[in-house]
Amino acid sequence: MNVKLPILSAIAAAALSVGVALPAFAGPGVLIGLEPGARVNVRSEPSTRSYSPHYGLIGDRIEILDQTQGYDGYTWYYVSFRSGARGWVRGDFVRPISYTPDRPNPPRESTVAAFNTNTYNVKVYRQRGRLYMDVYNKRAGYSVLNRAPAAVDNYGRRTSYYNTRGEYVYKVTTAPNGRYTLAVLYNDRQITREPGYQIW
């Protein structure tokens, strides 16, 4: 009696239930969806049944480290965030970004301000002549702003860069001595103000 065939079939079925590895894709990507700023689950395994220790926001930039075909038929991507968080995101929420040789290189960015506070990592930068802000909440573990358009105000010897998101305003102020401060306002009322203490 030949028992090799049933054993091989069982092994193949088990492999399919866990997920089938696809050719590796490593490179940049972005979380996509219909609602800007909405949450996307980041799971411990490539399955909607697995634990979700993190989440990203639509628009977050990611680094794609690996991919696999899940038992549910979706492609799943193993991704890394700027915060260092890693996990699996279902393929319909991920858009890989690839650059081909016949296309121009991605635009270089120039940093205007980059610093930490007790609660946030903050970066203000220019890209293609436009001003953007990234604000990451270290305590909550997610990006509050990611490549969000920023405006600038100059008054006296101080400069402020800010972004308005709903009822919130995130405002970076630079002083002549090179120090930075991040203020967060809600409904025009300041709810936090933290000095920058470390370039990152």
Side-chain angles (χ1 to χ4, degrees), residues 89-106:
V89 177
R90 206 171 69 184
D92 52 334
F93 292 104
V94 176
R95 185 178 71 219
I97 301 172
S98 59
Y99 300 103
T100 56
D102 56 331
R103 292 182 181 175
N105 290 330

Side-chain angles (χ1 to χ4, degrees), residues 86-166:
R86 294 186 175 192
W88 292 94
V89 177
R90 206 171 69 184
D92 52 334
F93 292 104
V94 176
R95 185 178 71 219
I97 301 172
S98 59
Y99 300 103
T100 56
D102 56 331
R103 292 182 181 175
N105 290 330
R108 291 185 178 180
E109 65 179 48
S110 60
T111 301
V112 176
F115 61 96
N116 284 335
T117 72
N118 288 335
T119 309
Y120 299 95
N121 291 338
V122 183
K123 185 177 180 183
V124 181
Y125 55 99
R126 291 187 186 278
Q127 199 171 63
R128 287 185 176 170
R130 295 185 179 181
L131 196 63
Y132 298 98
M133 286 179 70
D134 290 348
V135 178
Y136 177 78
N137 188 319
K138 297 183 286 186
R139 291 179 183 168
Y142 64 87
S143 293
V144 177
L145 300 177
N146 188 11
R147 203 170 182 271
V152 60
D153 276 339
N154 292 300
Y155 52 98
R157 299 176 64 194
R158 294 178 181 268
T159 303
S160 289
Y161 306 93
Y162 61 92
N163 172 275
T164 302
R165 175 156 295 213

Side-chain angles (χ1 to χ4, degrees), residues 11-71:
I11 292 172
L16 285 173
S17 69
V18 173
V20 179
L22 298 175
F25 174 93
V30 63
L31 296 185
I32 60 172
L34 298 177
E35 213 176 307
R39 294 183 182 186
V40 176
N41 288 324
V42 180
R43 300 188 180 274
S44 56
E45 300 292 336
S47 166
T48 54
R49 296 179 180 178
S50 67
Y51 176 61
S52 177
H54 312 289
Y55 65 85
L57 300 177
I58 299 300
D60 279 356
R61 291 296 182 114
I62 53 174
E63 188 70 18
I64 299 172
L65 305 176
D66 201 358
Q67 69 184 78
T68 190
Q69 184 76 33
Y71 71 90

